Amino acid sequence: MSGDNSFVVVANRLPVDLTTEPDGTSTWAPSPGGLVAALSPVLERHQGCWVGWPGVADETFEPFRTDAGVLLHPVRLTAADFEGFYEGFSNATLWPLYHDLIVPPIYDREWWSAYREVNLRFADEVAAVAAEGATVWVQDYQLQLLPGILRQLRPDLKIGFFLHIPFPGPELFRQLPWREEVVRGLLGADLIGFHNESNAANFLDLARQVSGPSGSHIGQPDELRVEGAAATREIGAHITTSDGRRVGVGAFPISIDVDSIGPADPAAVAELRAELGEPKTVMLGVDRLDYTKGILQRLLAFEELLESGALDPEEVVLVQVATPSRERIEQYRVARSQVEEAVGRINGHFGTIGNPVVHYQHRSMPKSQLGAYYAMADIMLVTSFKDGMNLVAKEYVATHPDGSGALVLSEFAGASVELEQAHLCNPFDLESVKRAILNAVWDLDDAPEATRERMLAMHEQVTTHDVDLWASSFLDCLAQADSTGDSDGEPEPR
């Protein structure tokens, strides 16, 4: 039995949070985050259905529509599901594994069972709401088994999968005890998308090495072939599975909805700088408080630059917005403790009463307010150890259409492939981070025209390669995908 939704997005979370008002009434508010920002405009245009967990354990909610007309279909998870599937396997096993073992992954068989069961539950819900022949777009690492399960339940569906985080090299992925099951789950899709060529190449290499359920190889992928690189840096290749299906593999760099950022109010920007004491240079970091984001490293680099006299605490401030994230997981609690200890130490040494040199906020910030912070910042600091893309870097660039500002960007963020005019740094090397920060400061002071040209080039890249291009490129390739193997063509990038 099928539903009546011809386009379905399925992700771990719905794009809304349940908030309780002072009078006790509950309302749904749009969620922050890059995935929501990227997919919401796509679903609004398609008037599609979004399947996901509403963020409240042990509660059952009926489907409802957003103000924009998108149907939201909640999936019920218990507290035990959340602990084993999300906090456990997704974020204490897969997340560190896919981020190159920044912390050691934990391989727990009970977590794996929870991950498998929740993926099956999601598949049942999607199978129930999707119309005959519908397009289903599965999002991210929490649901990697879903394409394979859905392929068995509803072979009529066109299934795409996109990974929003990095995909590791096969020598790391092969640590995973359940590697064959995860790969088979992904290969249930008609098209698998990654942010960049290196992630796609890692998956293709893995497919050459990992065996199927009976020991026979999954199927040899075609040689990696770059297509349309000048326009979108997409690539196209196929993997032929043991049952003869052809699965497309491509790189589709995600981007932002530029219009949703909007121009900042000059009065709001001026007010922010006044609240900071009218410093000469404002540096800004905006991150989830995650150990992959390199927040502590940028603070240590900033501290050493102050200690050496390379930066003057009378002239520069660092604003760090750290959104709470996965706070029940031990590594995240440790990361927060380290960051807040560094903030206190730096302010105690270099700040004065009422005039801290680091302004730290540990709470979410609405996008309408965040735009003013981006526009206010002279230098944006993105120093992640590993990032699938990092949309914060693109949002910052989008708010500087006049070419003002400078971007310090980790070379291990996916955005570095497209924003190559940024001041790139190696976040594992404190001297490299310090050099990039100083180069950004010096360029703003001594080479304003060259700095402006760099920013304008990045602004052109971000505005012409926006979320619409990302989504339409993926969906166009998915529409053309022929998993039966009858077509000789590769996925054609737009």
Side-chain angles (χ1 to χ4, degrees):
M1 181 177 179
S2 61
D4 57 1
N5 297 285
S6 61
F7 181 68
V8 179
V9 164
V10 53
N12 168 61
R13 280 292 305 272
L14 290 176
V16 291
D17 291 323
L18 187 64
T19 60
T20 302
E21 304 298 332
D23 63 0
T25 60
S26 296
T27 58
W28 295 101
S31 303
L35 179 60
V36 172
L39 288 175
S40 293
V42 180
L43 264 175
E44 288 169 12
R45 283 192 298 274
H46 285 82
Q47 288 295 288
C49 175
W50 184 312
V51 176
W53 179 52
V56 183
D58 297 310
E59 293 274 354
T60 301
F61 298 95
E62 293 299 316
F64 59 97
R65 291 191 180 274
T66 67
D67 292 341
V70 175
L71 177 63
L72 302 186
H73 185 90
V75 177
R76 186 179 189 275
L77 295 184
T78 67
D81 291 331
F82 178 77
E83 183 177 349
F85 155 73
Y86 183 75
E87 292 185 328
F89 197 80
S90 294
N91 290 311
T93 301
L94 293 177
W95 182 267
L97 176 65
Y98 283 32
H99 286 83
D100 293 353
L101 315 184
I102 294 172
V103 302
I106 299 171
Y107 302 118
D108 184 291
R109 286 176 289 185
E110 292 185 3
W111 291 353
W112 163 249
S113 295
Y115 184 83
R116 186 174 52 199
E117 289 304 313
V118 170
N119 270 253
L120 178 59
R121 195 173 313 157
F122 269 79
D124 287 337
E125 298 287 349
V126 174
V129 302
E132 184 75 20
T135 294
V136 176
W137 196 359
V138 183
Q139 308 292 326
D140 224 1
Y141 64 106
Q142 301 96 342
L143 299 174
Q144 292 177 107
L145 303 183
L146 180 53
I149 301 171
L150 202 55
R151 176 68 56 196
Q152 296 178 37
L153 295 176
R154 292 287 304 277
D156 60 292
L157 299 176
K158 182 77 75 170
I159 304 170
F161 177 89
F162 189 83
L163 184 69
H164 291 264
I165 66 173
F167 193 83
E171 69 282 356
L172 295 183
F173 184 90
R174 284 163 51 208
Q175 288 187 14
L176 186 67
W178 308 279
R179 58 196 189 185
E180 289 88 358
E181 291 93 329
V182 171
V183 172
R184 288 201 303 275
L186 291 171
L187 290 175
D190 296 288
L191 176 65
I192 305 171
F194 302 90
H195 282 305
N196 55 46
E197 294 181 21
S198 63
N199 291 166
N202 283 344
F203 182 75
L204 290 169
D205 287 343
L206 177 70
R208 294 184 177 96
Q209 299 176 23
V210 175
S211 297
S214 61
S216 60
H217 283 284
I218 284 169
Q220 195 75 348
D222 298 342
E223 289 301 313
L224 190 62
R225 181 161 64 87
V226 178
E227 296 190 51
T232 60
R233 290 195 176 94
E234 293 166 1
I235 59 173
H238 281 104
I239 293 173
T240 302
T241 64
S242 56
D243 61 359
R245 292 181 53 253
R246 285 165 60 84
V247 179
V249 178
F252 305 85
I254 197 171
S255 195
I256 61 172
D257 179 9
V258 177
D259 293 337
S260 72
I261 304 295
D265 179 4
V269 173
E271 182 179 352
L272 280 176
R273 291 193 77 106
E275 290 175 357
L276 296 172
E278 298 291 356
K280 178 183 176 183
T281 304
V282 177
M283 300 181 187
L284 175 65
V286 176
D287 313 82
R288 285 188 309 104
L289 215 172
D290 188 297
Y291 55 79
T292 66
K293 299 300 183 181
I295 301 173
L296 178 62
Q297 277 55 42
R298 85 182 56 139
L299 288 169
L300 295 177
F302 184 64
E303 182 178 29
E304 290 191 7
L305 290 170
L306 292 171
E307 287 176 340
S308 68
L311 293 179
D312 184 349
E314 298 292 327
E315 296 184 345
V316 62
V317 298
L318 170 57
V319 178
Q320 176 63 57
V321 179
T323 302
S325 178
R326 303 167 189 165
E327 296 193 297
R328 300 203 314 177
I329 299 176
E330 175 63 20
Q331 292 95 334
Y332 288 79
R333 293 198 297 266
V334 170
R336 178 180 178 181
S337 176
Q338 292 174 334
V339 165
E340 294 181 352
E341 179 183 336
V343 170
R345 184 179 64 247
I346 295 168
N347 282 333
H349 190 182
F350 298 102
T352 58
I353 299 299
N355 294 287
V357 69
V358 178
H359 297 256
Y360 173 76
Q361 175 177 304
H362 182 243
R363 63 179 185 271
S364 298
M365 182 178 291
K367 182 162 287 190
S368 57
Q369 185 179 358
L370 194 54
Y373 276 72
Y374 286 144
M376 172 216 32
D378 301 295
I379 300 173
M380 187 78 208
L381 304 179
V382 178
T383 55
S384 44
F385 289 125
K386 191 77 171 180
D387 249 331
M389 178 54 69
N390 194 289
L391 297 181
V392 163
K394 293 188 174 186
E395 289 174 347
Y396 175 75
V397 169
T399 59
H400 290 261
D402 60 351
S404 61
L407 174 63
V408 172
L409 179 60
S410 166
E411 63 188 70
F412 300 113
S416 66
V417 176
E418 296 176 280
L419 305 181
E420 54 191 8
Q421 296 86 1
H423 296 275
L424 299 180
C425 68
N426 175 3
F428 296 93
D429 177 5
L430 217 55
E431 295 301 321
S432 174
V433 179
K434 289 161 61 178
R435 280 195 304 272
I437 292 173
L438 283 182
N439 286 338
V441 172
W442 291 337
D443 281 0
L444 285 171
D445 290 340
D446 301 331
E449 190 54 40
T451 299
R452 181 174 178 274
E453 290 178 2
R454 294 161 73 117
M455 285 294 293
L456 288 176
M458 290 190 286
H459 187 269
E460 173 72 12
Q461 167 68 28
V462 169
T463 54
T464 57
H465 296 73
D466 61 3
V467 69
D468 290 335
L469 181 62
W470 168 73
S472 60
S473 295
F474 185 94
L475 294 173
D476 286 352
C477 288
L478 179 59
Q480 296 168 23
D482 181 4
S483 65
T484 65
D486 292 337
S487 171
D488 293 331
E490 301 286 352
E492 290 296 331
R494 173 170 171 166

